[in-house]
Amino acid sequence: DTGVSQDPRHKITKRGQNVTFRCDPISEHNRLYWYRQTLGQGPEFLTYFQNEAQLEKSRLLSDRFSAERPKGSFSTLEIQRTEQGDSAMYLCASSPPSGTYNEQFFGPGTRLTVL
Amino acid sequence: GQQVMQIPQYQHVQEGEDFTTYCNSSTTLSNIQWYKQRPGGHPVFLIQLVKSGEVKKQKRLTFQFGEAKKNSSLHITATQTTDVGTYFCARNTGNQFYFGTGTSLTVIP
């Protein structure tokens, strides 16, 4: 399968713990996005990478959230000191090199539950 | 702001009926994208509209971009049970994408 993959698919953690999620984009895609989605809402933009550079970050994003894409391939999203309000589906998406077409290919997501 | 508003939030239709969802912005859009998310699934790209007044068709789906590039619509003709899901429009400012709240479509067999 050559689609976007995410790991783990589910994560249950206790409040205050740190969690890290991984996203493997489609291999030739240099653009990578992280989103958060809660029930009944559309995906909420978190951050954007072009290759290894983090070029965009939501101003609403808490400093407890950090993302990396060290070699311009896979990416990780870490949440420190998790809170119950962090419970959501975390989606990763990738796109091919920039052009007029902005199609994003989404992964299956990581569902986070903070107890 | 950056949000796009979608209406209706929910729509129940009898199989075979038509369905339309609308996406509205207070500011001019450079383009608009549409995605479909099946229950329990992830968003899947459907189409991108770029030109003022553009109309694109995909089988039973018709997508329109308003002349002023502030609104868009998705129309499904003769819905089928496979059309069930939530339809999102999305706008972008640079590389930040803003999704609407979606229209959840239920098709009653």
Side-chain angles (χ1 to χ4, degrees):
Chain A
D1 184 86
T2 57
V4 178
S5 61
Q6 292 187 244
D7 184 70
R9 296 291 303 276
H10 303 272
K11 179 70 177 179
I12 300 174
T13 191
K14 292 183 179 179
R15 190 176 49 187
Q17 298 294 306
N18 299 343
V19 293
T20 301
F21 309 141
R22 176 179 170 125
C23 170
D24 286 87
I26 294 171
S27 59
E28 62 269 25
H29 289 186
N30 67 334
R31 295 187 285 169
L32 186 146
Y33 307 81
W34 282 100
Y35 293 89
R36 173 171 58 194
Q37 187 176 28
T38 53
L39 196 62
Q41 299 296 315
E44 175 195 357
F45 173 83
L46 296 179
T47 191
Y48 163 72
F49 288 86
Q50 184 167 305
N51 300 310
E52 66 277 5
Q54 188 175 20
L55 299 184
E56 301 270 11
K57 189 174 177 181
S58 170
R59 286 176 293 174
L60 302 177
L61 197 59
S62 162
D63 57 9
R64 296 184 296 105
F65 287 68
S66 62
E68 293 182 340
R69 194 182 182 197
K71 297 181 180 179
S73 56
F74 73 91
S75 176
T76 57
L77 177 69
E78 181 183 17
I79 309 173
Q80 296 183 325
R81 305 180 302 282
T82 52
E83 302 173 356
Q84 288 185 324
D86 297 331
S87 295
M89 177 71 84
Y90 289 84
L91 294 164
C92 174
S94 70
S95 294
S98 185
T100 56
Y101 221 50
N102 289 318
E103 177 176 0
Q104 295 180 62
F105 295 80
F106 281 82
T110 295
R111 182 169 296 283
L112 173 66
T113 302
V114 181
L115 301 176
Chain B
Q2 306 282 15
Q3 291 294 333
V4 284
M5 305 304 296
Q6 272 188 264
I7 53 170
Q9 189 174 1
Y10 302 97
Q11 186 79 58
H12 292 69
V13 299
Q14 205 75 33
E15 188 173 17
E17 291 181 339
D18 292 356
F19 159 78
T20 305
T21 174
Y22 300 90
C23 182
N24 298 300
S25 170
S26 58
T27 58
T28 302
L29 305 170
S30 58
N31 63 76
I32 193 84
Q33 298 185 335
W34 285 93
Y35 289 80
K36 176 184 178 181
Q37 187 171 22
R38 293 181 185 273
H42 56 272
V44 174
F45 176 85
L46 295 176
I47 209 156
Q48 176 172 291
L49 304 173
V50 179
K51 298 177 183 176
S52 168
E54 189 170 16
V55 178
K56 286 189 177 179
K57 292 191 176 184
Q58 291 179 351
K59 297 182 180 178
R60 294 178 296 104
L61 277 60
T62 302
F63 302 85
Q64 281 192 292
F65 203 7
E67 292 289 344
K69 299 182 75 174
K70 288 186 176 182
N71 56 72
S72 181
S73 65
L74 158 58
H75 179 82
I76 302 178
T77 303
T79 53
Q80 300 175 359
T81 54
T82 53
D83 296 325
V84 164
T86 301
Y87 293 84
F88 294 100
C89 62
R91 63 167 294 173
N92 67 287
T93 301
N95 288 294
Q96 294 205 25
F97 284 78
Y98 301 92
F99 282 72
T101 50
T103 296
S104 175
L105 173 63
T106 300
V107 178
I108 304 163

